[in-house]
Amino acid sequence: MSNPVTIEAVEGTSYADLTREFDAPVDAVFRAYADPELFAQWIGPRRLRNVITEWDFRSGGTWAYESHDTDGSVYAFRGTFHTVEQNEQIIQTFEWLGAPGEVSLDRMRFEALPGGRTRLSGRSVMTSREALEQMIESGMEYGVREGFEKLDELLAGK
């Protein structure tokens, strides 16, 4: 069984906080974010196949990927890595090209826990409360939960 993910959107704000623990060390969890081949294997719901189209994982670098659905739909995403601190944090922008101009600023922090475990804490700040509500209604929690379950499997070597 995987660890639960907690997503909290505070009423009246335009941000959501995320917390999730992993039964793997920080360097392994961080590497799954940093390595484009690993990232493509776990990001998003199981029904999607991801293709990395750009990946410059460094402060100031850019990224882009496409998620191909089983029904033939393609969802494209892009952003910029503003700050990359090895095994500590990633601050980046995130844009789904299906909603151009709606860009979030996301921060993910990696914290070592006893027993070789990791706590991942994130915050996504949207341009408006309405944009946040649309992101949540689009199935964000489902995609995050399934993606992290796939990440658990990847980290366990399954």
Side-chain angles (χ1 to χ4, degrees):
M1 174 142 179
S2 67
N3 296 306
V5 63
T6 303
I7 299 174
E8 296 181 80
V10 177
E11 187 67 34
T13 69
S14 62
Y15 66 87
D17 291 329
L18 170 148
T19 306
R20 173 67 151 70
E21 293 184 4
F22 294 90
D23 298 324
V26 165
D27 64 328
V29 178
F30 190 87
R31 187 173 46 254
Y33 271 83
D35 182 320
E37 290 181 22
L38 296 176
F39 185 82
Q41 292 178 48
W42 68 264
I43 194 70
R46 292 185 186 280
R47 72 178 193 281
L48 300 178
R49 180 182 57 82
N50 300 300
V51 177
I52 305 297
T53 57
E54 183 176 351
W55 200 263
D56 184 8
F57 190 76
R58 63 177 176 83
S59 295
T62 56
W63 62 269
Y65 70 90
E66 295 176 344
S67 294
H68 297 253
D69 206 333
T70 54
D71 68 3
S73 299
V74 177
Y75 309 98
F77 306 89
R78 69 178 177 189
T80 301
F81 295 112
H82 287 271
T83 303
V84 173
E85 295 175 3
Q86 183 77 27
N87 296 333
E88 291 190 29
Q89 75 171 340
I90 302 166
I91 301 173
Q92 68 183 54
T93 58
F94 179 92
E95 180 180 16
W96 172 45
L97 297 183
E102 287 298 336
V103 179
S104 67
L105 180 62
D106 301 341
R107 179 194 70 217
M108 299 303 285
R109 290 190 175 161
F110 301 77
E111 177 187 351
L113 299 175
R117 300 181 73 243
T118 300
R119 178 178 297 122
L120 185 65
S121 303
R123 174 169 281 180
S124 290
V125 181
M126 301 297 295
T127 56
S128 67
R129 177 68 189 174
E130 295 76 25
L132 175 63
E133 289 171 355
Q134 287 178 330
M135 182 176 70
I136 291 170
E137 290 170 10
S138 75
M140 175 191 104
E141 185 174 354
Y142 169 77
V144 168
R145 185 176 35 81
E146 271 205 2
F148 283 160
E149 288 171 0
K150 292 189 315 185
L151 179 52
D152 281 333
E153 294 164 9
L154 180 67
L155 293 167
K158 293 182 181 178

